[in-house]
């Protein structure tokens, strides 16, 4: 007997399961089902051109050989990326723990209290260190956070303000490159100036400063901030979070916004990412904050409960009026960063920072003692030394002994110290310069720029000093959450599928994780080979000419694709094309991304079946014939259907001079069977955190590569560090974005092979049709394609039930928690519906368990509709039920304790939600976004 293949383990249903499911939906084989579901016009001939599948051991061995081509060296390059030590207790209990990495975005607050608390810790940490009152729950990276700060400053500017944004010349070069990309399409004039000596120009609405600067200097920015405010401008400061444990925080010297990266709080450089960007703002700007914000609220019993706050800012609600296109965050890296702060506490962070600054000061003193000039006397971690005519020789000498330095130019070398810098490293650097290392030197931060007063004063940052205590704290948080390690997460459009351990293990390999993104090419051959293979595989799977993995979220992939279309049309002399057609059913980020790409959104109606209304499309194309830039369309549709008109739709747009962007959010219904680049699309983004198995991590990290046809290849995102910028600039700060997690999709594709990915797609489609068939009599399926079939997800229509009973989709979502499930997607794409996507990874028993729970809930709804119980008194309205509620001495509800906590069909191990239903409205009226006093938790 041979071992089962990896695809057999990835796909949850057995051959016998699939036979039973096929019988239920009326087909004899997966091929027959796909033939009936998928239009012939989009089908690809033959299997995709991936290498034949190999086993887990073989794939890891192959990847090990590739990784061995890297030459990880001690990096003292800096420039936003630093060596750090992830505490073992955090690596073991967070990074390598599926309870953390398989969870979804915490939209269902009652089953997300653990990661919400960790994110609240992150917000508190950032707010304390920056000296500002409100911080978000992480952004994608420092450079894109700076771009968001620029846009926020313009939104907050008074009516009639100018369009000039000033960037100090000391800002990190990758940040400046991303700012250039983001400013031009929305009409912002970017001015680079030495803000320490130059006056601000007329019409300035915002200023960005770096603290410390890219040149290592720690400057006193108070005067510049005062001058900017006098000119009516907002000031953003890009700050080093570790340095802020020693330096005067930006909020104290008047900054309105602070941005940066939490990378050096325990996250390896990972060849560029993923790392948690951050943003903090003054209180009056909190409702302008982009991304996610965790707020403190209360549950139905008045207990403290956490939730995502101000959710009206989410893109699927505000669409083209959204404040940004960001639809995700860097939750797992943010959890690691906040855990790092909890573990070390303020004293530990200060000790680490003092050590970094002390080593840099010793290096500077050693150079100066030997007559080597140091450019800046006030510094934190980076020393820029003068080496007239011999910078290359100094860099080469250090590299010969395993240490990378940064060549600034032919006459200057930069050396960055970090948490991992050793005495031996300093001696190698001194030898390269030909000087002796001095024994000690005072920290080179002037007293006037030293921080005074405490930070991280909340007890959470001082309670967990022993590993036992920290382990138990992280376990308590994990137990409060619901992830794929507990059960199915049937979220439509989100594709919560298996993230196999064999795929995850290489993330921690030091030969990949510890490579600096700016290391010389001679040291990164392994990374380049891995990325090149993955990009070529993704291009093949999707039928495109080329792929860039730089975008570090789906929203950034959308933006990159639209910018490519915009630049291509401009080079053809058609720069006036600026209309983007978007179906009414589209993902909300589509509209927001179009606006950020400088386009005007025109909505195309959908017909009663949820398909693009061809007559309305024709009318909108005709009305915008000379200005049509693109159509953005999701395929299969956001309604979970293979629209048979997609080829015709693409043809009409092309005939009018436009380009077609196919959103890859639903690619899990296409891989191995159809290729967007072959049925009419010009560009797509791909969600590697959906179809290609990068875990959602509680809301990030993700990767959203952009894939393009041949004519758009020159317009892919460019290297942010390139001397000559590409036709389209970078959208992320690292050339390959969140490279540190690309091992996961590489492993997935290598182990699945062409037959495996096709089988996964067909199995996902079968699972969705099986669920639809089993639930159709209880909950109407709103949209179907030919033959009454769906694609990989189905939309259950509760609107008539709500009208009859008063039971809402939220009631059903919360009641599902009592049955041991995460809810499907609520009210998207249609209000009053639930969108279910079971994926290929769930076995038949779990699918049946979910269907049984939904059918039992349908009976509970009918009891309300019949008048047997009032909706306000029903288990539906009062769900979810906590252990505290069902074990309370008093019980005055219209149903029994067992009906509350162990409803019919609840057969899995009991999951107890830590809080009851969260009061969202109260939380927004009483917004609090940092850790509440410990007394607020009562006896807990």
């Amino acid at each position: 007997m041979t071992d089962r293949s990896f695809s057999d383990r990835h796909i949850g249903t057995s051959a016998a399961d699939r036979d039973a499911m096929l019988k239920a939906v009326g087909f004899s084989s997966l091929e027959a089902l796909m033939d009936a579901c998928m239009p012939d016009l989009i089908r690809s001939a033959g299997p995709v051109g991936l290498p034949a599948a190999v086993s887990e051991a073989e794939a890891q061995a192959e990847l090990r050989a590739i990784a061995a081509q890297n030459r990880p060296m001690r990096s003292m390059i800096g420039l936003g990326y630093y060596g750090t030590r992830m505490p073992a207790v955090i690596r073991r209990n967070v990074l390598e723990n599926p309870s953390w990495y398989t969870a979804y975005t915490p939209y269902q607050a009652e089953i997300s209290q653990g990661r919400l608390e960790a994110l609240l810790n992150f917000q508190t940490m950032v707010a304390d260190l920056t000296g500002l009152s409100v911080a978000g729950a992480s952004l994608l990276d420092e450079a894109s956070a700076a771009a968001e700060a620029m846009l926020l400053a313009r939104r907050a500017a008074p009516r009639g303000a100018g369009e000039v944004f000033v960037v100090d010349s000391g800002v990190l070069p990758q940040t400046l490159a991303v700012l250039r990309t983001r400013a031009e399409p929305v009409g912002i004039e970017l001015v680079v100036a030495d803000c320490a000596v130059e006056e601000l120009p007329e019409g300035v609405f915002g200023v960005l400063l770096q603290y410390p600067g890219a040149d290592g200097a720690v400057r006193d920015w108070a005067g510049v901030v005062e001058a900017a405010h006098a000119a009516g401008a907002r000031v953003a400061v890009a700050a080093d979070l570790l340095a802020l444990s020693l330096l005067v925080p930006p909020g104290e010297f008047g900054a309105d916004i602070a941005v940066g990266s939490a990378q050096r709080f325990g996250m390896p450089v990972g060849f560029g990412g993923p790392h948690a960007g951050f943003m903090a703002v003054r209180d009056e700007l909190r409702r302008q904050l982009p991304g996610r914000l965790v707020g403190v609220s209360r549950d139905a019993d008045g207990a403290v409960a956490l939730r995502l706050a101000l959710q009206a800012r989410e893109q699927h609600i505000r669409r083209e009026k959204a404040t940004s296109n960001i639809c995700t965050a860097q939750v797992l890296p943010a959890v690691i960063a906040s855990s790092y702060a909890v573990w070390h506490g303020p004293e530990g962070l200060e000790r680490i920072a003092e050590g970094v600054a002390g080593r840099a000061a010793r290096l500077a003193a050693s150079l100066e003692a030997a007559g080597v000039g140091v450019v800046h006397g006030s510094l934190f971690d980076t020393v820029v030394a003068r080496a007239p005519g011999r910078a290359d020789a100094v860099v080469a000498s250090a590299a010969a002994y395993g240490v990378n330095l940064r060549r600034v130019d032919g006459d200057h070398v930069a050396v960055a110290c970090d948490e991992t810098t050793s005495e031996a490293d300093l001696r190698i650097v001194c030898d390269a310069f030909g000087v002796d290392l001095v024994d000690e030197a005072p920290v080179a931060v002037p007293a006037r720029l030293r921080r005074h007063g405490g930070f991280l004063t909340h007890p959470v940052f001082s309670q967990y000093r022993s590993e036992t205590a920290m382990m138990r704290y992280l376990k308590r948080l994990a137990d409060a959450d619901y992830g794929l390690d507990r059960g199915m997460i049937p979220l439509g459009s989100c594709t919560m599928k298996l993230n196999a351990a064999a795929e995850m293990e290489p993330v921690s390999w030091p030969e990949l994780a510890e490579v600096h993104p700016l290391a010389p090419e001679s040291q990164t051959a392994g990374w380049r080979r891995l990325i090149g293979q993955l990009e070529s595989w993704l291009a093949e799977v999707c039928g495109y000419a080329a792929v860039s993995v730089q975008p570090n979220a789906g929203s950034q992939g959308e933006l990159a694709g639209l910018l490519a279309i915009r630049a291509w049309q401009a080079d053809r002399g058609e720069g006036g094309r600026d209309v983007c057609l978007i179906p009414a059913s589209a993902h909300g980020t589509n509209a927001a991304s179009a606006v950020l790409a400088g386009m005007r959104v025109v909505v195309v109606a959908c017909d009663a079946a949820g398909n693009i209304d061809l007559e309305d499309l024709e009318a909108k194309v005709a009305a915008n014939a000379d200005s049509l830039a693109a159509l953005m369309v999701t395929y299969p549709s956001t309604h979970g259907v293979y629209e048979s008109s997609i080829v015709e739709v693409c043809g009409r747009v092309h005939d009018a001079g436009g380009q077609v962007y196919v959103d890859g959010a639903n690619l899990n219904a296409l891989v191995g069977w159809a290729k967007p680049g072959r049925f009419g699309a010009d560009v797509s983004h791909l969600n590697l955190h959906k179809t290609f198995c990068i875990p959602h991590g509680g809301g990030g990290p993700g990767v959203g590569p952009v894939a393009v046809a041949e004519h758009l290849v020159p317009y892919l995102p460019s290297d942010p560090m390139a001397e000559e910028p590409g036709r389209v600039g970078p959208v992320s700060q690292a050339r390959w974005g969140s490279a540190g997690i690309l091992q996961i999709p590489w492993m997935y594709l290598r182990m699945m092979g062409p037959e495996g990915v096709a089988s996964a797609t067909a199995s996902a489609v079968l699972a969705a049709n099986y669920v639809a068939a089993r639930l159709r009599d209880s909950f109407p399926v709103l949209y179907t394609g030919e033959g009454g079939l769906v694609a990989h997800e189905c939309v259950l229509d509760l609107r008539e039930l709500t009208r009859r009973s008063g039971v809402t989709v939220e009631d059903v979502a919360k009641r599902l928690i009592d049955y041991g499930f995460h809810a499907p997607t609520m009210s998207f794409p249609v209000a009053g519906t639930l969108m279910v996507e079971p994926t290929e990874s769930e076995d038949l028993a779990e699918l049946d368990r979910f269907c049984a729970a939904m059918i039992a809930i349908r009976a509970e709804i009918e009891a309300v509709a019949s008048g047997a119980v009032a909706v306000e008194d029903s288990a539906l309205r009062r769900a979810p039920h906590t252990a505290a509620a069902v074990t309370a001495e008093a019980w005055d509800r219209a149903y029994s304790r067992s009906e509350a906590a162990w409803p019919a069909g609840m057969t899995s191990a009991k999951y107890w939600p830590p809080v009851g239903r969260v009061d969202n409205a109260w939380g927004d009226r009483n917004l609090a976004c940092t850790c509440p006093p410990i007394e607020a938790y009562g006896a807990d």
Side-chain angles (χ1 to χ4, degrees):
M1 180 181 292
T2 59
D3 289 340
R4 296 171 64 213
S5 68
F6 172 78
S7 65
D8 287 335
R9 288 185 285 275
H10 172 82
I11 297 170
T13 50
S14 67
D17 290 340
R18 291 192 288 274
D19 287 342
M21 294 162 68
L22 285 164
K23 184 176 180 180
V25 297
F27 291 90
S28 60
S29 67
L30 286 175
E31 291 74 14
L33 172 64
M34 295 302 289
D35 287 343
C37 283
M38 184 177 283
D40 288 339
L41 282 173
I42 72 167
R43 290 282 292 272
S44 299
V48 293
L50 294 175
V54 296
S55 70
E56 291 98 319
E58 290 169 327
Q60 285 200 352
E62 186 175 326
L63 188 57
R64 280 280 190 193
I66 293 173
Q69 297 174 25
N70 291 329
R71 291 177 53 219
M73 291 178 40
R74 298 289 298 115
S75 175
M76 301 183 76
I77 297 172
L79 216 61
Y81 304 96
Y82 304 92
T84 184
R85 294 189 177 96
M86 183 186 296
V89 66
I90 296 173
R91 183 179 63 251
R92 189 70 167 174
N93 292 285
V94 178
L95 178 65
E96 298 173 353
N97 184 347
S99 294
W100 288 99
Y101 66 70
T102 69
Y104 181 61
T105 304
Y107 292 128
Q108 295 292 333
E110 295 82 0
I111 56 177
S112 308
Q113 292 296 297
R115 81 198 84 124
L116 285 168
E117 182 172 332
L119 291 174
L120 193 69
N121 293 343
F122 179 86
Q123 292 178 179
T124 304
M125 172 188 81
V126 171
D128 277 11
L129 286 168
T130 60
L132 292 163
S133 58
V134 180
S138 78
L139 293 173
L140 299 174
D141 60 22
E142 179 170 338
S144 59
E148 295 294 338
M150 174 179 69
L151 298 174
L152 189 158
R154 185 164 74 164
R155 290 194 302 273
R159 188 183 299 273
E163 295 292 340
V164 175
F165 188 72
V166 175
V167 181
D168 182 68
S169 56
V171 162
L172 297 176
Q174 63 266 34
T175 297
L176 177 59
V178 172
L179 286 170
R180 292 189 193 281
T181 302
R182 298 290 298 274
E184 187 272 332
V186 294
I188 292 175
E189 179 185 353
L190 215 62
V191 174
V192 180
D194 184 348
C195 292
V197 297
E198 298 180 48
E199 292 187 2
L200 296 174
E202 293 291 325
V204 60
F205 70 82
V207 178
L208 177 66
L209 309 171
Q210 192 84 35
Y211 182 65
D215 57 2
V218 177
R219 295 178 172 86
D220 184 349
W221 288 120
V224 174
V225 173
E226 184 178 358
H229 287 163
R234 299 278 185 175
V235 178
V237 174
D240 184 303
L241 208 57
L242 183 63
L244 293 184
S245 62
L246 298 185
L247 302 179
V248 173
E252 285 191 18
F253 59 74
D256 303 289
I257 309 163
V259 298
S261 170
Q263 180 266 315
R264 60 195 314 172
F265 279 37
M267 281 295 292
V269 290
F271 205 46
H275 306 132
F278 68 81
M279 178 182 287
V281 297
R282 295 199 173 280
D283 190 66
E284 64 267 22
L285 297 176
R286 65 182 179 179
R287 291 182 182 271
Q288 300 275 3
L289 196 68
R292 301 226 172 95
L293 183 69
V294 175
V296 181
S297 187
R298 64 186 186 188
D299 72 1
D301 297 318
V304 171
L306 309 178
R307 57 182 284 276
L308 291 181
L310 304 179
Q311 288 190 344
R313 295 176 300 115
E314 291 288 20
Q315 289 75 18
H316 68 274
I317 297 172
R318 301 198 66 190
R319 302 177 69 82
E320 67 267 24
K321 295 181 181 178
T323 55
S324 85
N325 72 332
I326 291 176
C327 190
T328 187
Q330 295 282 17
V331 172
L332 193 63
V335 169
I336 290 170
S338 71
S339 299
Y340 182 93
V342 168
W343 176 241
H344 286 295
E347 300 86 359
L349 293 183
E350 189 172 2
R351 183 173 59 253
I352 293 168
E354 289 278 7
V356 170
R359 289 186 279 276
R362 284 182 67 197
L363 178 58
S366 302
L367 294 169
E368 290 181 322
V372 177
V374 172
V375 175
H376 301 291
S378 177
L379 54 90
F380 169 62
D381 64 0
T382 300
V383 179
V384 178
R386 297 185 181 91
R390 65 187 190 101
D392 292 320
V394 170
V395 171
S397 176
Y401 290 93
V403 174
N404 283 327
L405 307 181
R406 175 162 56 94
R407 179 190 186 276
V408 178
D409 55 37
D411 300 322
H412 296 87
V413 176
V415 186
C417 297
D418 57 45
E419 180 185 5
T420 67
T421 302
S422 67
E423 185 85 2
D425 297 332
L426 295 179
R427 293 191 183 280
I428 290 171
V429 174
C430 286
D431 288 347
F433 279 99
V435 306
D436 294 325
L437 178 64
V438 302
D439 291 333
E440 59 183 28
V443 170
V445 177
R448 72 181 188 283
L449 296 180
R450 289 295 295 255
R451 184 178 196 120
H452 300 286
F455 61 96
L456 302 188
T457 57
H458 190 274
V460 74
F461 297 106
S462 59
Q463 286 179 298
Y464 308 108
R465 287 294 171 269
S466 75
E467 181 160 338
T468 302
M470 186 67 177
M471 175 183 66
R472 289 172 179 165
Y473 176 63
L474 294 173
K475 173 65 172 172
R476 177 175 70 78
L477 296 186
D479 282 349
D481 273 12
Y482 189 104
L484 277 176
D485 60 328
R486 289 188 185 274
M488 182 168 74
I489 302 180
L491 286 155
S493 188
C494 298
T495 318
M496 298 295 296
K497 60 200 284 185
L498 173 69
N499 316 120
E503 297 159 4
M504 299 297 296
E505 284 180 337
V507 170
S508 300
W509 291 355
E511 57 265 50
L512 294 171
E514 295 178 7
V515 179
H516 196 287
L518 304 180
E521 288 192 13
S522 61
Q523 300 173 19
T524 63
W527 262 121
R528 292 167 187 274
R529 184 177 176 189
L530 186 160
I531 292 168
Q533 287 183 342
L534 179 61
E535 288 181 337
S536 68
W537 294 346
L538 293 172
E540 162 60 24
V541 161
C542 300
Y544 286 105
V547 166
S548 168
V549 296
Q550 185 184 112
N552 51 14
S555 59
Q556 305 306 94
E558 291 177 3
L559 179 62
L562 293 174
L563 291 175
I565 291 171
R566 182 175 181 268
W568 175 75
Q569 287 170 330
D571 284 353
R572 287 163 49 89
E574 297 185 329
R577 290 185 175 271
D578 67 346
V579 167
C580 186
L581 301 179
I582 300 180
S585 64
H587 289 93
T589 55
N590 289 174
S593 295
V595 170
L596 292 179
M599 296 182 181
R600 294 180 292 132
V601 174
V602 173
V603 177
V604 177
C606 293
D607 62 22
N611 302 316
I612 294 174
D613 186 320
L614 294 180
E615 289 187 7
D616 192 56
L617 174 68
E618 190 69 36
K620 298 293 172 58
V621 168
N624 298 281
D626 296 329
S627 55
L628 177 59
L631 166 75
M632 296 187 82
V633 60
T634 301
Y635 198 83
S637 76
T638 310
H639 296 103
V641 175
Y642 294 105
E643 295 186 44
S644 58
S645 63
I646 185 64
V647 175
E648 180 182 356
V649 166
C650 294
R652 292 189 184 188
V653 173
H654 286 147
D655 289 346
Q659 294 283 280
V660 176
Y661 172 101
V662 169
D663 188 314
N666 292 342
L667 203 64
N668 209 48
L670 296 178
V671 174
W673 295 85
K675 301 178 178 182
R678 294 290 183 267
F679 62 69
D682 302 289
V683 58
S684 292
H685 89 267
L686 322 175
N687 294 97
L688 300 193
H689 48 289
K690 293 185 180 183
T691 305
F692 299 97
C693 292
I694 289 176
H696 285 67
V703 180
V706 57
V708 296
E710 188 68 44
H711 62 287
L712 294 178
V713 172
Y715 305 95
L716 287 169
S718 59
D719 181 358
M721 303 302 291
E723 293 185 8
E724 292 294 328
R727 183 60 184 84
V728 173
V731 295
S732 303
Q733 71 178 37
R735 181 176 181 181
W736 290 285
S738 292
I741 51 176
L742 295 179
Q743 308 93 308
I744 302 167
W746 188 98
M747 286 289 295
Y748 173 72
L749 290 171
R750 191 68 188 91
M751 294 186 296
M752 291 292 280
E755 293 81 11
V757 295
S759 181
T761 297
S763 297
V765 172
L766 173 60
N769 279 282
Y770 177 75
V771 169
R774 283 213 55 193
L775 296 183
R776 186 170 278 113
D777 291 341
S778 299
F779 302 96
V781 176
L782 183 56
Y783 299 111
T784 59
E786 295 179 7
L789 298 169
V790 297
H792 63 310
E793 59 194 7
C794 58
V795 179
L796 305 180
D797 191 355
L798 276 70
R799 291 174 296 178
E800 176 59 22
L801 287 172
T802 298
R803 187 191 65 78
R804 288 178 49 223
S805 67
V807 174
T808 66
V809 290
E810 183 178 14
D811 294 332
V812 175
K814 305 312 179 188
R815 184 59 171 151
L816 273 168
I817 297 171
D818 293 329
Y819 284 83
F821 282 102
H822 193 296
T825 299
M826 291 168 40
S827 292
F828 179 81
V830 178
T833 66
L834 293 171
M835 185 160 59
V836 181
E837 182 178 356
T839 84
E840 73 274 17
S841 293
E842 301 300 337
D843 60 27
L844 181 56
E846 187 73 352
L847 298 176
D848 282 340
R849 188 171 78 88
F850 173 74
C851 291
M854 289 296 292
I855 292 168
I857 287 173
R858 175 65 174 82
E860 294 179 358
I861 296 173
E862 196 57 42
V864 174
S866 68
V869 61
V871 65
E872 294 80 6
D873 298 328
S874 68
L876 288 154
R877 181 57 50 86
R878 303 191 72 173
H881 296 86
T882 65
V886 298
T887 58
E889 185 172 340
W891 183 262
D892 59 356
R893 306 193 183 189
Y895 46 92
S896 69
R897 297 175 194 262
S898 60
E899 288 175 309
W902 293 275
M906 207 297 288
T907 57
S908 68
K910 178 62 182 173
Y911 167 75
W912 289 103
V915 297
R917 192 174 304 197
V918 177
D919 190 333
N920 293 319
W922 188 93
D924 278 348
R925 289 194 306 269
N926 302 274
L927 187 61
C929 316
T930 54
C931 295
I934 200 70
E935 295 80 10
Y937 293 98
D940 293 338

